[in-house]
Amino acid sequence: MKNLVIFMLFVGFCVLPAFPKRRIWRNCGTNLPIKVIRLDINPATITFPGDITVSFAATATRPLGNANIQLNIIRKTRLSWPFNRIRVPCILNIGSCYYRNACNLLNRMERENWATISRQMARQFKSLFGNTCPTTARNVDVENIRVSLPAIPSVLFMLVGGDYSISAKITDAVSGEVLSCVQINGIHISKFGRTTPNPPTTTTQVPRHRVCSFWDWNC
């Protein structure tokens, strides 16, 4: 179950101004078999590449085996309605994607190396937690897990940077029953991390009153 929580955070962050905002999370279902009790992510602004620390507590009242995961990632923009909230697409299995067979996800990430970054993350998760699946009914309480985030590949570069909300839903692969649902708001992400060169500068003067186009993700 620990791997599932970290996996959902990783895939969400990989496809996710000026001051950090407070993150707010909630369980988006009631009386579900898997419930998150506590979730803390630091630092306030997440950078790629860079490190984050994650602490969380969760409880599962029944075994988790053959399950699917649905991620929905929304990027907030400064455009007018209805373009002020844009759903991040699923690109190379990164983004607002549907993942079948949760027990095989880490193996798939390592074998297929989505967007050239998932293999590194899968091996990191396995070294931290192992790859035990299905999991038994249990309580999980983890403090200050350090996760190293990779540099963003060019294929995803335009999708990263700004404020995001993420919802993650786990369903039983056979019955379709919702097993868990979590929503996180106020995620602030920068694509320029500790080892990435500074953003390129330009001598072109930006107009004082900027007009944002639909495709301008950084507007």
Side-chain angles (χ1 to χ4, degrees):
M1 184 166 63
K2 289 183 288 187
N3 272 336
L4 285 179
V5 174
I6 297 296
F7 167 80
M8 290 187 292
L9 293 175
F10 157 69
V11 176
F13 293 158
C14 283
V15 291
L16 290 159
F19 50 87
K21 299 183 178 180
R22 181 170 175 259
R23 284 184 290 270
I24 300 175
W25 69 271
R26 67 181 180 89
N27 289 288
C28 43
T30 57
N31 300 320
L32 299 180
I34 303 172
K35 183 178 181 180
V36 175
I37 301 171
R38 176 173 54 88
L39 176 60
D40 297 309
I41 306 167
N42 288 294
T45 297
I46 298 168
T47 59
F48 290 84
D51 294 334
I52 62 171
T53 58
V54 180
S55 300
F56 65 89
T59 181
T61 58
R62 74 184 208 193
L64 174 64
N66 191 11
N68 302 326
I69 299 175
Q70 173 70 62
L71 286 183
N72 190 43
I73 303 171
I74 302 297
R75 185 182 189 274
K76 298 179 182 179
T77 75
R78 298 178 185 177
L79 300 177
S80 302
W81 185 90
F83 305 119
N84 58 332
R85 293 175 61 86
I86 300 176
R87 186 174 185 264
V88 175
C90 182
I91 299 177
L92 300 177
N93 288 316
I94 304 290
S96 299
C97 303
Y98 184 74
Y99 305 94
R100 298 183 183 275
N101 190 3
C103 277
N104 194 41
L105 275 177
L106 290 182
N107 291 332
R108 281 192 60 202
M109 290 170 62
E110 185 173 12
R111 181 177 65 251
E112 300 172 12
N113 198 23
W114 307 334
T116 72
I117 58 177
S118 69
R119 178 174 296 142
Q120 169 191 342
M121 300 305 299
R123 289 174 177 172
Q124 186 176 181
F125 297 158
K126 287 181 177 181
S127 67
L128 287 170
F129 310 118
N131 192 26
T132 304
C133 200
T135 61
T136 59
R138 58 184 298 191
N139 296 326
V140 174
D141 196 336
V142 177
E143 290 288 341
N144 297 324
I145 298 174
R146 181 179 176 182
V147 179
S148 296
L149 302 175
I152 295 299
S154 58
V155 67
L156 301 176
F157 201 74
M158 293 301 295
L159 303 182
V160 178
D163 295 321
Y164 297 80
S165 64
I166 300 174
S167 63
K169 183 184 293 184
I170 302 176
T171 57
D172 186 277
V174 177
S175 67
E177 175 190 3
V178 177
L179 304 177
S180 182
C181 182
V182 178
Q183 182 171 342
I184 310 172
N185 298 316
I187 299 172
H188 183 71
I189 295 179
S190 171
K191 70 184 76 177
F192 299 104
R194 59 172 182 260
T195 60
T196 303
N198 292 328
T201 58
T202 177
T203 57
T204 303
Q205 184 175 1
V206 179
R208 184 173 181 180
H209 300 287
R210 182 179 179 184
V211 178
C212 297
S213 68
F214 176 79
W215 298 109
D216 189 351
W217 286 81
N218 292 310
C219 188

